[in-house]
Amino acid sequence: MRISVMDVGSKTVRLVVADAADGVPLPVHTAKWRLRLSEQVRPGESVPEESVERLVDAVAAANRTALRWGATAPLAFATAVVRASPNRHEVLSTVQTRTGVSLCTLPGELEAELTFLGARRWMGWRSGPLALLDIGGGSLEVAFGRGRLPDFVASLPLGAARLTHEFFTGEDPPAAAQVRALRRKVRHQLRDVAARIRWEGPRTAAVTSRTFQQLGRLCGAAPGRHGPFVERRLERSALREAVGQLAALPTTERALLPGISAPRAEQSLAGAVVAHTAMKLTGLRTVTVCPWAIREGIMLRHIEDGASWWAEVSRLGEEDAPADAVPLRIAPATS
């Protein structure tokens, strides 16, 4: 069986095609299309028509690629940028009509649950009680659990692109006062969730997302060309120094640093502030940068629970739910 997952994020549309005959999603092809929605859609604003056109083109191209590689129809989802837009339903309907792809949005807390599943499988049972942090463009997902699925999850409006729009739209580099204001907001939003992580006392912590991967590289982790099986760790002390380094540089010079790509250079400082503050508040001194995340979590659930599971998940995207789900949600105790 060959399956595919399509992820419409704040910067790109990403496609993963994987063989799943033995119950493990083994990638056979990956591709991405540049979209940069976060640069065109401010938090709380509608996705403009020209951005919808680019989204349609990218989704259609990803769908053709999946079919060309012999995969079933992509399990397609959009993250916080589309989820939080007032015209979300119109965007999803347009994509469906123009491409035939049933694109849905997932509640932030479900994103956290699926990302945790991907990280748990990669890290293995020996990792014990596991904490997870994932910084996206629009939101921060946090999870903790001892089993296959997390015991609790939270989704907070602390994405790197969102906070860049909110705090760093003037001076480049931003003033120290702007960085302090951002850190205060992150501390306030994370207070209750961080207290829960500290109380649980995780044995291991994993971080996922391009933001954490690039911060890991900046702080000395092996480059991506060394493959996924090289252990990559991120130290809080090194991240603290990275925040100061990024804060002192304009966007163009950040893009010259190891690991920081030009498309993400602008939001790299906000991502680093969120990452360091989250690690400090939760008491995490060292985390493992995990290559498996939400896309792998979706494939695992699809393999293990069947197509009916995704059909139910897709219907969640049709419901009107708050864009920023802040309260903790107790996940099912499935093992």
Side-chain angles (χ1 to χ4, degrees):
M1 177 176 64
R2 184 164 283 186
I3 59 178
S4 63
V5 172
M6 186 191 304
D7 174 358
V8 178
S10 63
K11 293 288 185 183
T12 58
V13 172
R14 291 179 177 269
L15 176 74
V16 176
V17 179
D19 282 331
D22 297 323
V24 178
L26 300 175
V28 296
H29 183 69
T30 61
K32 67 179 179 180
W33 292 261
R34 186 168 295 178
L35 198 59
R36 295 187 177 180
L37 277 179
S38 62
E39 298 176 14
Q40 299 133 20
V41 184
R42 299 277 180 169
E45 294 182 358
S46 295
V47 181
E49 184 176 347
E50 57 270 24
S51 296
V52 175
E53 288 297 319
R54 283 193 288 273
L55 174 59
V56 166
D57 291 343
V59 168
N63 186 46
R64 290 193 299 269
T65 301
L67 296 177
R68 188 164 64 249
W69 280 84
T72 56
L75 309 175
F77 70 100
T79 52
V81 173
V82 174
R83 184 175 69 229
S85 298
N87 65 336
R88 170 172 61 106
H89 292 297
E90 290 82 355
V91 172
L92 300 180
S93 177
T94 299
V95 170
Q96 167 80 49
T97 301
R98 299 270 299 277
T99 70
V101 174
S102 297
L103 182 67
C104 71
T105 56
L106 305 178
E109 295 179 344
L110 181 55
E111 287 188 17
E113 180 179 300
L114 292 166
T115 305
F116 180 92
L117 174 60
R120 164 61 78 190
R121 288 301 173 81
W122 182 269
M123 300 290 290
W125 294 111
R126 69 188 300 270
S127 59
L130 177 67
L132 170 81
L133 301 173
D134 180 285
I135 302 173
S139 60
L140 164 70
E141 273 66 59
V142 183
F144 171 84
R146 297 172 176 81
R148 171 180 177 249
L149 297 179
D151 300 315
F152 81 85
V153 294
S155 181
L156 305 166
L158 297 175
R162 175 195 289 265
L163 295 176
T164 298
H165 285 314
E166 184 175 347
F167 288 91
F168 299 151
T169 54
E171 302 175 55
D172 185 21
Q178 294 173 289
V179 178
R180 289 195 299 269
L182 170 57
R183 194 180 290 276
R184 282 196 299 271
K185 172 163 183 170
V186 177
R187 283 200 302 261
H188 175 73
Q189 292 276 348
L190 263 173
R191 182 181 55 196
D192 293 339
V193 173
R196 176 67 182 265
I197 294 287
R198 292 196 307 271
W199 183 82
E200 294 285 2
R203 183 177 185 275
T204 309
V207 296
T208 61
S209 74
R210 290 293 295 165
T211 294
F212 270 117
Q213 289 172 3
Q214 294 197 0
L215 290 173
R217 178 73 186 102
L218 177 62
C219 293
R225 66 177 180 273
H226 289 186
F229 298 109
V230 174
E231 185 176 30
R232 295 174 173 88
R233 302 181 73 79
L234 177 60
E235 303 287 339
R236 193 174 79 203
S237 58
L239 189 53
R240 181 182 65 245
E241 295 179 8
V243 170
Q245 183 181 20
L246 292 167
L249 296 175
T251 298
T252 53
E253 294 184 28
R254 290 180 204 159
L256 303 177
L257 296 173
I260 305 299
S261 65
R264 293 178 180 270
E266 183 182 20
Q267 68 185 52
S268 60
L269 174 57
V273 171
V274 173
H276 179 260
T277 306
M279 288 181 66
K280 185 174 182 179
L281 290 181
T282 54
L284 301 173
R285 294 185 178 276
T286 304
V287 295
T288 298
V289 182
C290 178
W292 274 18
I294 187 170
R295 291 184 290 272
E296 289 76 17
I298 287 173
M299 287 189 281
L300 287 165
R301 284 295 299 265
H302 186 74
I303 293 167
E304 295 165 4
D305 299 335
S308 61
W309 168 80
W310 182 253
E312 180 61 30
V313 166
S314 299
R315 283 194 289 272
L316 290 174
E318 300 173 3
E319 301 174 359
D320 288 311
D324 303 314
V326 175
L328 301 182
R329 183 180 69 85
I330 304 300
T334 306
S335 60

PDB file of all heavy atoms in Angstrom, residues 269-294:
ATOM      1  N   LEU A 269      13.923  34.756  14.752  1.00  0.00           N
ATOM      2  CA  LEU A 269      14.086  35.314  16.095  1.00  0.00           C
ATOM      3  C   LEU A 269      12.879  34.999  16.956  1.00  0.00           C
ATOM      4  O   LEU A 269      13.023  34.548  18.099  1.00  0.00           O
ATOM      5  CB  LEU A 269      14.317  36.819  16.024  1.00  0.00           C
ATOM      6  CG  LEU A 269      14.362  37.546  17.380  1.00  0.00           C
ATOM      7  CD1 LEU A 269      15.435  36.974  18.293  1.00  0.00           C
ATOM      8  CD2 LEU A 269      14.564  39.047  17.169  1.00  0.00           C
ATOM      9  N   ALA A 270      11.680  35.211  16.438  1.00  0.00           N
ATOM     10  CA  ALA A 270      10.478  34.893  17.211  1.00  0.00           C
ATOM     11  C   ALA A 270      10.441  33.417  17.554  1.00  0.00           C
ATOM     12  O   ALA A 270      10.098  33.034  18.682  1.00  0.00           O
ATOM     13  CB  ALA A 270       9.227  35.291  16.427  1.00  0.00           C
ATOM     14  N   GLY A 271      10.782  32.566  16.599  1.00  0.00           N
ATOM     15  CA  GLY A 271      10.819  31.133  16.877  1.00  0.00           C
ATOM     16  C   GLY A 271      11.811  30.783  17.962  1.00  0.00           C
ATOM     17  O   GLY A 271      11.537  29.948  18.832  1.00  0.00           O
ATOM     18  N   ALA A 272      12.986  31.435  17.947  1.00  0.00           N
ATOM     19  CA  ALA A 272      13.999  31.160  18.968  1.00  0.00           C
ATOM     20  C   ALA A 272      13.548  31.622  20.340  1.00  0.00           C
ATOM     21  O   ALA A 272      13.799  30.944  21.349  1.00  0.00           O
ATOM     22  CB  ALA A 272      15.310  31.845  18.581  1.00  0.00           C
ATOM     23  N   VAL A 273      12.871  32.767  20.414  1.00  0.00           N
ATOM     24  CA  VAL A 273      12.369  33.262  21.701  1.00  0.00           C
ATOM     25  C   VAL A 273      11.322  32.302  22.263  1.00  0.00           C
ATOM     26  O   VAL A 273      11.333  31.965  23.461  1.00  0.00           O
ATOM     27  CB  VAL A 273      11.779  34.678  21.553  1.00  0.00           C
ATOM     28  CG1 VAL A 273      11.053  35.103  22.825  1.00  0.00           C
ATOM     29  CG2 VAL A 273      12.882  35.678  21.226  1.00  0.00           C
ATOM     30  N   VAL A 274      10.413  31.837  21.407  1.00  0.00           N
ATOM     31  CA  VAL A 274       9.398  30.875  21.864  1.00  0.00           C
ATOM     32  C   VAL A 274      10.065  29.588  22.331  1.00  0.00           C
ATOM     33  O   VAL A 274       9.732  29.041  23.392  1.00  0.00           O
ATOM     34  CB  VAL A 274       8.381  30.578  20.737  1.00  0.00           C
ATOM     35  CG1 VAL A 274       7.436  29.446  21.150  1.00  0.00           C
ATOM     36  CG2 VAL A 274       7.586  31.826  20.399  1.00  0.00           C
ATOM     37  N   ALA A 275      11.018  29.093  21.549  1.00  0.00           N
ATOM     38  CA  ALA A 275      11.678  27.832  21.893  1.00  0.00           C
ATOM     39  C   ALA A 275      12.418  27.937  23.216  1.00  0.00           C
ATOM     40  O   ALA A 275      12.279  27.069  24.093  1.00  0.00           O
ATOM     41  CB  ALA A 275      12.651  27.438  20.770  1.00  0.00           C
ATOM     42  N   HIS A 276      13.218  28.986  23.392  1.00  0.00           N
ATOM     43  CA  HIS A 276      13.985  29.121  24.623  1.00  0.00           C
ATOM     44  C   HIS A 276      13.074  29.334  25.826  1.00  0.00           C
ATOM     45  O   HIS A 276      13.281  28.724  26.886  1.00  0.00           O
ATOM     46  CB  HIS A 276      14.976  30.281  24.508  1.00  0.00           C
ATOM     47  CG  HIS A 276      15.780  30.485  25.756  1.00  0.00           C
ATOM     48  ND1 HIS A 276      15.478  31.463  26.681  1.00  0.00           N
ATOM     49  CD2 HIS A 276      16.849  29.804  26.264  1.00  0.00           C
ATOM     50  CE1 HIS A 276      16.327  31.398  27.690  1.00  0.00           C
ATOM     51  NE2 HIS A 276      17.172  30.400  27.459  1.00  0.00           N
ATOM     52  N   THR A 277      12.070  30.177  25.681  1.00  0.00           N
ATOM     53  CA  THR A 277      11.158  30.435  26.794  1.00  0.00           C
ATOM     54  C   THR A 277      10.400  29.173  27.178  1.00  0.00           C
ATOM     55  O   THR A 277      10.219  28.874  28.365  1.00  0.00           O
ATOM     56  CB  THR A 277      10.174  31.555  26.428  1.00  0.00           C
ATOM     57  OG1 THR A 277      10.905  32.713  26.005  1.00  0.00           O
ATOM     58  CG2 THR A 277       9.302  31.934  27.623  1.00  0.00           C
ATOM     59  N   ALA A 278       9.949  28.413  26.175  1.00  0.00           N
ATOM     60  CA  ALA A 278       9.231  27.169  26.463  1.00  0.00           C
ATOM     61  C   ALA A 278      10.121  26.175  27.194  1.00  0.00           C
ATOM     62  O   ALA A 278       9.699  25.534  28.167  1.00  0.00           O
ATOM     63  CB  ALA A 278       8.702  26.563  25.168  1.00  0.00           C
ATOM     64  N   MET A 279      11.364  26.021  26.750  1.00  0.00           N
ATOM     65  CA  MET A 279      12.266  25.094  27.425  1.00  0.00           C
ATOM     66  C   MET A 279      12.567  25.550  28.851  1.00  0.00           C
ATOM     67  O   MET A 279      12.607  24.741  29.789  1.00  0.00           O
ATOM     68  CB  MET A 279      13.567  24.959  26.625  1.00  0.00           C
ATOM     69  CG  MET A 279      13.431  24.183  25.330  1.00  0.00           C
ATOM     70  SD  MET A 279      14.997  24.016  24.420  1.00  0.00           S
ATOM     71  CE  MET A 279      15.945  22.976  25.550  1.00  0.00           C
ATOM     72  N   LYS A 280      12.738  26.858  29.038  1.00  0.00           N
ATOM     73  CA  LYS A 280      13.047  27.366  30.373  1.00  0.00           C
ATOM     74  C   LYS A 280      11.875  27.179  31.325  1.00  0.00           C
ATOM     75  O   LYS A 280      12.038  26.697  32.456  1.00  0.00           O
ATOM     76  CB  LYS A 280      13.429  28.846  30.283  1.00  0.00           C
ATOM     77  CG  LYS A 280      13.888  29.432  31.614  1.00  0.00           C
ATOM     78  CD  LYS A 280      14.402  30.847  31.428  1.00  0.00           C
ATOM     79  CE  LYS A 280      14.910  31.413  32.753  1.00  0.00           C
ATOM     80  NZ  LYS A 280      15.436  32.797  32.567  1.00  0.00           N
ATOM     81  N   LEU A 281      10.658  27.523  30.877  1.00  0.00           N
ATOM     82  CA  LEU A 281       9.490  27.419  31.754  1.00  0.00           C
ATOM     83  C   LEU A 281       9.151  25.973  32.082  1.00  0.00           C
ATOM     84  O   LEU A 281       8.637  25.684  33.169  1.00  0.00           O
ATOM     85  CB  LEU A 281       8.282  28.101  31.104  1.00  0.00           C
ATOM     86  CG  LEU A 281       8.325  29.632  30.994  1.00  0.00           C
ATOM     87  CD1 LEU A 281       7.048  30.143  30.362  1.00  0.00           C
ATOM     88  CD2 LEU A 281       8.551  30.278  32.344  1.00  0.00           C
ATOM     89  N   THR A 282       9.379  25.068  31.142  1.00  0.00           N
ATOM     90  CA  THR A 282       9.057  23.665  31.377  1.00  0.00           C
ATOM     91  C   THR A 282      10.170  22.920  32.089  1.00  0.00           C
ATOM     92  O   THR A 282      10.021  21.739  32.436  1.00  0.00           O
ATOM     93  CB  THR A 282       8.749  22.947  30.051  1.00  0.00           C
ATOM     94  OG1 THR A 282       9.842  23.138  29.141  1.00  0.00           O
ATOM     95  CG2 THR A 282       7.474  23.485  29.415  1.00  0.00           C
ATOM     96  N   GLY A 283      11.316  23.578  32.282  1.00  0.00           N
ATOM     97  CA  GLY A 283      12.428  22.939  32.968  1.00  0.00           C
ATOM     98  C   GLY A 283      13.226  21.990  32.110  1.00  0.00           C
ATOM     99  O   GLY A 283      13.976  21.156  32.631  1.00  0.00           O
ATOM    100  N   LEU A 284      13.111  22.112  30.784  1.00  0.00           N
ATOM    101  CA  LEU A 284      13.824  21.222  29.869  1.00  0.00           C
ATOM    102  C   LEU A 284      15.172  21.833  29.510  1.00  0.00           C
ATOM    103  O   LEU A 284      15.237  22.900  28.913  1.00  0.00           O
ATOM    104  CB  LEU A 284      13.004  21.001  28.593  1.00  0.00           C
ATOM    105  CG  LEU A 284      11.608  20.399  28.780  1.00  0.00           C
ATOM    106  CD1 LEU A 284      10.853  20.393  27.460  1.00  0.00           C
ATOM    107  CD2 LEU A 284      11.694  18.999  29.364  1.00  0.00           C
ATOM    108  N   ARG A 285      16.250  21.143  29.854  1.00  0.00           N
ATOM    109  CA  ARG A 285      17.588  21.648  29.552  1.00  0.00           C
ATOM    110  C   ARG A 285      18.111  21.133  28.210  1.00  0.00           C
ATOM    111  O   ARG A 285      18.878  21.810  27.538  1.00  0.00           O
ATOM    112  CB  ARG A 285      18.571  21.252  30.660  1.00  0.00           C
ATOM    113  CG  ARG A 285      18.269  21.916  31.994  1.00  0.00           C
ATOM    114  CD  ARG A 285      19.335  21.608  33.028  1.00  0.00           C
ATOM    115  NE  ARG A 285      19.058  22.295  34.278  1.00  0.00           N
ATOM    116  CZ  ARG A 285      19.404  23.546  34.544  1.00  0.00           C
ATOM    117  NH1 ARG A 285      20.050  24.247  33.625  1.00  0.00           N
ATOM    118  NH2 ARG A 285      19.117  24.100  35.708  1.00  0.00           N
ATOM    119  N   THR A 286      17.671  19.943  27.827  1.00  0.00           N
ATOM    120  CA  THR A 286      18.108  19.334  26.577  1.00  0.00           C
ATOM    121  C   THR A 286      16.918  18.664  25.910  1.00  0.00           C
ATOM    122  O   THR A 286      16.122  18.003  26.583  1.00  0.00           O
ATOM    123  CB  THR A 286      19.200  18.282  26.819  1.00  0.00           C
ATOM    124  OG1 THR A 286      20.286  18.877  27.524  1.00  0.00           O
ATOM    125  CG2 THR A 286      19.716  17.715  25.507  1.00  0.00           C
ATOM    126  N   VAL A 287      16.780  18.847  24.599  1.00  0.00           N
ATOM    127  CA  VAL A 287      15.712  18.189  23.850  1.00  0.00           C
ATOM    128  C   VAL A 287      16.314  17.502  22.634  1.00  0.00           C
ATOM    129  O   VAL A 287      17.413  17.863  22.178  1.00  0.00           O
ATOM    130  CB  VAL A 287      14.630  19.201  23.404  1.00  0.00           C
ATOM    131  CG1 VAL A 287      13.911  19.796  24.605  1.00  0.00           C
ATOM    132  CG2 VAL A 287      15.229  20.308  22.540  1.00  0.00           C
ATOM    133  N   THR A 288      15.593  16.508  22.117  1.00  0.00           N
ATOM    134  CA  THR A 288      16.001  15.815  20.901  1.00  0.00           C
ATOM    135  C   THR A 288      15.204  16.354  19.726  1.00  0.00           C
ATOM    136  O   THR A 288      13.971  16.440  19.790  1.00  0.00           O
ATOM    137  CB  THR A 288      15.753  14.301  21.026  1.00  0.00           C
ATOM    138  OG1 THR A 288      16.554  13.786  22.093  1.00  0.00           O
ATOM    139  CG2 THR A 288      16.116  13.588  19.738  1.00  0.00           C
ATOM    140  N   VAL A 289      15.907  16.747  18.669  1.00  0.00           N
ATOM    141  CA  VAL A 289      15.245  17.211  17.453  1.00  0.00           C
ATOM    142  C   VAL A 289      14.805  15.983  16.670  1.00  0.00           C
ATOM    143  O   VAL A 289      15.640  15.207  16.182  1.00  0.00           O
ATOM    144  CB  VAL A 289      16.176  18.099  16.615  1.00  0.00           C
ATOM    145  CG1 VAL A 289      15.445  18.617  15.383  1.00  0.00           C
ATOM    146  CG2 VAL A 289      16.704  19.267  17.445  1.00  0.00           C
ATOM    147  N   CYS A 290      13.497  15.796  16.570  1.00  0.00           N
ATOM    148  CA  CYS A 290      12.923  14.565  16.010  1.00  0.00           C
ATOM    149  C   CYS A 290      12.483  14.791  14.560  1.00  0.00           C
ATOM    150  O   CYS A 290      11.768  15.751  14.277  1.00  0.00           O
ATOM    151  CB  CYS A 290      11.726  14.133  16.860  1.00  0.00           C
ATOM    152  SG  CYS A 290      10.876  12.672  16.262  1.00  0.00           S
ATOM    153  N   PRO A 291      12.879  13.929  13.622  1.00  0.00           N
ATOM    154  CA  PRO A 291      12.499  14.119  12.221  1.00  0.00           C
ATOM    155  C   PRO A 291      11.057  13.731  11.903  1.00  0.00           C
ATOM    156  O   PRO A 291      10.525  14.141  10.879  1.00  0.00           O
ATOM    157  CB  PRO A 291      13.484  13.222  11.470  1.00  0.00           C
ATOM    158  CG  PRO A 291      13.827  12.141  12.442  1.00  0.00           C
ATOM    159  CD  PRO A 291      13.816  12.800  13.789  1.00  0.00           C
ATOM    160  N   TRP A 292      10.437  12.909  12.750  1.00  0.00           N
ATOM    161  CA  TRP A 292       9.040  12.543  12.526  1.00  0.00           C
ATOM    162  C   TRP A 292       8.134  13.500  13.279  1.00  0.00           C
ATOM    163  O   TRP A 292       8.397  13.842  14.434  1.00  0.00           O
ATOM    164  CB  TRP A 292       8.784  11.112  12.997  1.00  0.00           C
ATOM    165  CG  TRP A 292       9.098  10.075  11.954  1.00  0.00           C
ATOM    166  CD1 TRP A 292       9.871  10.245  10.850  1.00  0.00           C
ATOM    167  CD2 TRP A 292       8.647   8.718  11.933  1.00  0.00           C
ATOM    168  NE1 TRP A 292       9.935   9.065  10.134  1.00  0.00           N
ATOM    169  CE2 TRP A 292       9.195   8.116  10.775  1.00  0.00           C
ATOM    170  CE3 TRP A 292       7.850   7.950  12.773  1.00  0.00           C
ATOM    171  CZ2 TRP A 292       8.950   6.781  10.441  1.00  0.00           C
ATOM    172  CZ3 TRP A 292       7.612   6.618  12.445  1.00  0.00           C
ATOM    173  CH2 TRP A 292       8.148   6.048  11.288  1.00  0.00           C
ATOM    174  N   ALA A 293       7.039  13.893  12.614  1.00  0.00           N
ATOM    175  CA  ALA A 293       6.114  14.844  13.223  1.00  0.00           C
ATOM    176  C   ALA A 293       4.691  14.545  12.761  1.00  0.00           C
ATOM    177  O   ALA A 293       4.300  13.377  12.681  1.00  0.00           O
ATOM    178  CB  ALA A 293       6.548  16.269  12.885  1.00  0.00           C
ATOM    179  N   ILE A 294       3.939  15.569  12.421  1.00  0.00           N
ATOM    180  CA  ILE A 294       2.512  15.387  12.164  1.00  0.00           C
ATOM    181  C   ILE A 294       2.241  14.546  10.921  1.00  0.00           C
ATOM    182  O   ILE A 294       1.313  13.729  10.909  1.00  0.00           O
ATOM    183  CB  ILE A 294       1.779  16.742  12.077  1.00  0.00           C
ATOM    184  CG1 ILE A 294       0.264  16.521  11.990  1.00  0.00           C
ATOM    185  CG2 ILE A 294       2.294  17.584  10.911  1.00  0.00           C
ATOM    186  CD1 ILE A 294      -0.546  17.771  12.135  1.00  0.00           C
TER     187      ILE A 294
END
